[in-house]
């Protein structure tokens, strides 16, 4: 049987504030209790901000990867267009060169994006 408190939203979301009994006594310790609540709420907010920042970093890395693929795809399309144009103009180029261009283009794009990212990181 599961613990019935695990169904309470504050327990499930780990946003429960834990205090000792004296801190909620309506006497002089009320200020101490308020300070405890404030400290724990601040810790919860900081953790939530850290989680959001980690998610943003993951999204940024995914976007960088997709950018490398999209730019590489675009450049390879341009190279294919140039290859076909040269072929129609009478300049016969070996198709293996086009195949060899794929890793070169992807590597060049990835290197360029990483260099720009590094330069921006140093500049800030």
């Amino acid at each position: 049987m599961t613990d019935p408190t695990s169904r309470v939203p504050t327990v499930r979301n780990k946003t429960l504030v834990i205090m000792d009994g004296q801190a909620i006594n309506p006497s002089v310790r009320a200020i101490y209790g308020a300070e405890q609540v404030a400290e724990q709420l601040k810790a919860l907010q900081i953790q939530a901000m850290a989680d959001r920042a980690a998610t943003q970093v993951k999204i940024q890395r995914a976007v960088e990867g997709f950018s490398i693929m999209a730019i590489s795809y675009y450049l390879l399309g341009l190279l294919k267009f140039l290859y076909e144009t040269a072929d129609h103009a009478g300049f016969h180029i070996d198709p293996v060169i086009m195949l060899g261009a794929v890793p070169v283009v992807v590597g060049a794009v990835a290197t360029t994006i990483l260099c720009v990212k590094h330069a921006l990181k140093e500049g800030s």
Side-chain angles (χ1 to χ4, degrees):
M1 185 167 185
T2 61
D3 182 12
T5 59
S6 65
R7 289 180 274 163
V8 177
T10 55
V11 174
R12 191 174 52 239
N13 297 332
K14 296 181 182 175
T15 56
L16 183 67
V17 176
I18 299 171
M19 301 173 46
D20 57 12
Q22 295 175 0
I24 56 174
N25 187 355
S27 64
V28 176
R29 297 203 178 245
I31 294 174
Y32 174 71
E35 289 173 349
Q36 274 189 335
V37 169
E39 287 174 11
Q40 291 194 21
L41 288 175
K42 185 177 177 182
L44 289 172
Q45 290 172 346
I46 290 172
Q47 182 59 42
M49 287 173 45
D51 292 343
R52 282 193 297 274
T55 301
Q56 287 175 345
V57 168
K58 289 177 186 175
I59 291 170
Q60 180 182 356
R61 287 184 181 152
V63 167
E64 288 171 2
F66 291 134
S67 296
I68 290 171
M69 290 188 301
I71 294 169
S72 297
Y73 181 78
Y74 177 73
L75 288 176
L76 288 169
L78 286 175
L79 285 175
K80 181 181 177 208
F81 176 74
L82 291 173
Y83 170 78
E84 290 172 350
T85 302
D87 191 45
H88 287 299
F91 300 105
H92 298 290
I93 303 169
D94 189 10
V96 175
I97 293 175
M98 189 64 184
L99 184 63
V102 173
V104 173
V105 168
V106 172
V109 170
T111 302
T112 303
I113 287 178
L114 293 176
C115 286
V116 168
K117 179 182 172 184
H118 183 68
L120 289 174
K121 190 181 288 185
E122 285 182 355
S124 57

